[in-house]
Amino acid sequence: MVRPFDDTTRRNIAERCAAFARAAASDAAPALKRAAVAIALTEADGGHGTALLLTRRAASLRSHRAQWALPGGRCDQGETQAQAALRELHEELGLELGPGDVLGLLDDYPTRSGYLITPVVVWAAASAGISPNPAEVASVHRIALDDIEQAAAFDFFTIPQSTRRVIRFRHAGRFIHAPTAALIYQFREVLAGRDTRVAELEQPVFAWK
């Protein structure tokens, strides 16, 4: 299903986010560092529909170097998750967006590396220019929403180190794993009107540090 990058799509996605029954963080949340990522929606390549922005982290970063990620990072003191996501979008991609561009929040996702990530769905208007910060971002990719809605886009497998299912997202011959894959999967489910939980979906061992 191709979703045009227009006001109707923005309104429909905002309504889906508003209808989503966001789950509260678990009791273990105070022990985790707060972080936020942006599911930033923009025009797909070639102007064919709506896409989300995915980055490849710079190889010079201290943690999770060269991994696939949604733009984001740790929340500063006193910052809301939405404020952190907007700040990180500006720092990483040069996008100047405001509170009015936030469409909603999804479930918090606890990571093996000690973070509680809040996904913030954001609308990046066609006029918003993208200028990646090379110190943080190696490359930026537009993932069409119709790609994440394909039946074969996600799969699940098990590993000896955990009893939980590992999720991965298959795109352009590459595998993108949790936490990123889990957050995109939940957004896909929200688009379909389903309150699907992802906190128990596992990350691969290389992402545990």
Side-chain angles (χ1 to χ4, degrees):
M1 173 184 176
V2 176
R3 299 172 186 269
F5 187 65
D6 58 19
D7 287 341
T8 299
T9 295
R10 174 181 175 143
R11 184 169 58 253
N12 288 343
I13 293 176
E15 289 172 354
R16 291 291 190 183
C17 289
F20 174 66
R22 183 173 183 266
S26 70
D27 293 338
L32 301 176
K33 299 179 284 288
R34 281 284 189 177
V37 298
I39 298 178
L41 304 175
T42 189
E43 193 167 31
D45 289 329
H48 303 300
T50 303
L52 62 84
L53 294 174
L54 189 66
T55 70
R56 195 77 180 263
R57 289 169 61 83
S60 57
L61 291 172
R62 286 181 299 174
S63 61
H64 307 297
R65 57 177 63 92
Q67 290 184 19
W68 294 97
L70 295 163
R74 188 168 178 175
C75 296
D76 288 344
Q77 183 70 31
E79 225 177 17
T80 67
Q81 296 98 319
Q83 289 169 339
L86 293 174
R87 174 180 54 77
E88 290 286 348
L89 271 174
H90 181 251
E91 292 177 1
E92 293 185 19
L93 301 181
L95 284 170
E96 296 269 9
L97 303 177
D101 298 308
V102 175
L103 304 186
L105 278 62
L106 306 186
D107 287 353
D108 295 333
Y109 181 89
T111 73
R112 289 281 192 171
S113 56
Y115 286 90
L116 189 69
I117 300 176
T118 302
V120 181
V121 183
V122 177
W123 188 264
S127 60
I130 298 174
S131 180
N133 177 358
E136 298 191 49
V137 177
S139 58
V140 184
H141 307 261
R142 297 174 189 242
I143 311 299
L145 296 191
D146 55 319
D147 287 347
I148 72 171
E149 293 181 287
Q150 297 296 318
F154 296 87
D155 63 12
F156 303 87
F157 61 100
T158 58
I159 55 176
Q161 297 88 347
S162 177
T163 58
R164 296 156 52 188
R165 294 184 303 161
V166 179
I167 184 173
R168 61 187 180 185
F169 169 49
R170 186 192 305 268
H171 177 71
R174 305 180 181 95
F175 284 119
I176 299 163
H177 296 84
T180 299
L183 307 182
I184 295 174
Y185 179 71
Q186 185 172 63
F187 179 61
R188 190 274 291 271
E189 295 291 280
V190 168
L191 291 177
R194 295 187 288 265
D195 292 349
T196 302
R197 305 302 169 196
V198 297
E200 291 305 311
L201 294 178
E202 184 63 277
Q203 304 166 243
V205 175
F206 69 77
W208 288 15
K209 297 180 180 180

